[in-house]
Amino acid sequence: MADRVIDLDETATHTGPKGVINDWRRFKLESMDQDNLPPAKKELLRQMSSPGRPKDDTRANLNRKMSVQEYELLKEEDEGCLKKYRKRCMQEMHDKLSFGPKFEGVHDLDSGEAFLEVIEKEHYSTVVVVHIYKIGVKGCEELNNCLDCLATEYPTVKFCRIDAVSSGAAERFSDEVLPTLLVYKAGELLGNFLACTQHLNEEFFATDVEAFLNSYGVLPEKELPGVEDEEENDVE
């Protein structure tokens, strides 16, 4: 008796239910450890991938119907594979929605010219947070430590710091207004927070600084964890 068939007509990858099914089917085949599969399953995989077909028959190959044997093979161990597939789709979606460069750590600016350059020449979609500090002024060292933490949480934000003296504007940024946080995007000043630690508790942490900046809406949405990071957490 001929195998009952399941219709998996291809439309377009990620387009409509059938497109998603075929994308999942392709991912399932690619993720299988074919070296350790029994011979019977290897033969099914060979038939499903149809290596002997002409190159110009790729679409016909995708449009062909799937036998019950093939369906049962794809269905096995679906839970773990489906989790990986979901993570990959989330990462792809996130990558498509992410624009502009990414950064690591807090950038130290050594002059007023460097300060102006980072404001005027940075990518138009990048939020730039500049901490103007002075060694010995209360709260400056703690805020620097907080920004080090936030830089890892917001890689699309460019965090910078500059000594008030090095900025060439020591008179404007006196000890009374330090630490100061300036926030820019596309060359426009979004936030000018003088003596910003006055708005925080005596003892504050990175989450407090984050909440303060978010209260003014100057930080973007946090980055989604990468697929690799989530997989590591699952193992743990």
Side-chain angles (χ1 to χ4, degrees), residues 92-112:
E92 287 178 353
M93 178 181 67
H94 177 67
D95 291 342
K96 290 179 180 178
L97 296 176
S98 297
F99 301 97
K102 296 186 178 182
F103 309 93
E104 294 183 2
V106 179
H107 299 258
D108 290 291
L109 308 177
D110 56 8
S111 66

Side-chain angles (χ1 to χ4, degrees), residues 105-122:
V106 179
H107 299 258
D108 290 291
L109 308 177
D110 56 8
S111 66
E113 289 76 14
F115 172 75
L116 292 175
E117 183 174 353
V118 76
I119 294 170
E120 296 173 353
K121 296 185 178 181
E122 196 49 69

Side-chain angles (χ1 to χ4, degrees), residues 22-133:
N22 274 301
D23 190 40
W24 154 243
R25 173 193 185 195
R26 186 180 296 107
F27 177 83
K28 176 78 173 181
L29 291 176
E30 293 173 352
S31 63
M32 281 184 168
D33 184 5
Q34 299 189 30
D35 292 337
N36 296 322
L37 286 176
K41 290 188 177 181
K42 283 185 179 181
E43 175 61 20
L44 274 178
L45 285 176
R46 186 194 67 77
Q47 294 175 10
M48 293 168 75
S49 58
S50 302
R53 289 179 178 268
K55 292 184 178 179
D56 59 356
D57 198 24
T58 302
R59 184 169 181 81
N61 184 33
L62 286 174
N63 285 338
R64 70 185 179 83
K65 295 182 177 181
M66 181 184 289
S67 69
V68 171
Q69 284 179 305
E70 292 174 329
Y71 176 73
E72 291 299 326
L73 174 61
L74 288 180
K75 193 173 68 173
E76 291 180 5
E77 301 178 358
D78 265 354
E79 184 177 350
C81 193
L82 185 59
K83 179 179 285 190
K84 292 180 181 179
Y85 175 72
R86 178 180 60 83
K87 291 175 182 177
R88 191 198 71 173
C89 290
M90 290 178 63
Q91 188 65 45
E92 287 178 353
M93 178 181 67
H94 177 67
D95 291 342
K96 290 179 180 178
L97 296 176
S98 297
F99 301 97
K102 296 186 178 182
F103 309 93
E104 294 183 2
V106 179
H107 299 258
D108 290 291
L109 308 177
D110 56 8
S111 66
E113 289 76 14
F115 172 75
L116 292 175
E117 183 174 353
V118 76
I119 294 170
E120 296 173 353
K121 296 185 178 181
E122 196 49 69
H123 191 276
Y124 69 91
S125 69
T126 297
V127 173
V128 179
V129 178
V130 181
H131 174 209
I132 301 179
Y133 69 96

Side-chain angles (χ1 to χ4, degrees), residues 140-168:
C140 287
E141 182 178 357
E142 292 83 354
L143 187 55
N144 271 331
N145 293 334
C146 291
L147 295 185
D148 286 333
C149 296
L150 292 181
T152 64
E153 297 286 332
Y154 294 88
T156 61
V157 176
K158 188 164 189 177
F159 289 93
C160 305
R161 56 186 164 224
I162 184 170
D163 186 276
V165 176
S166 300
S167 70

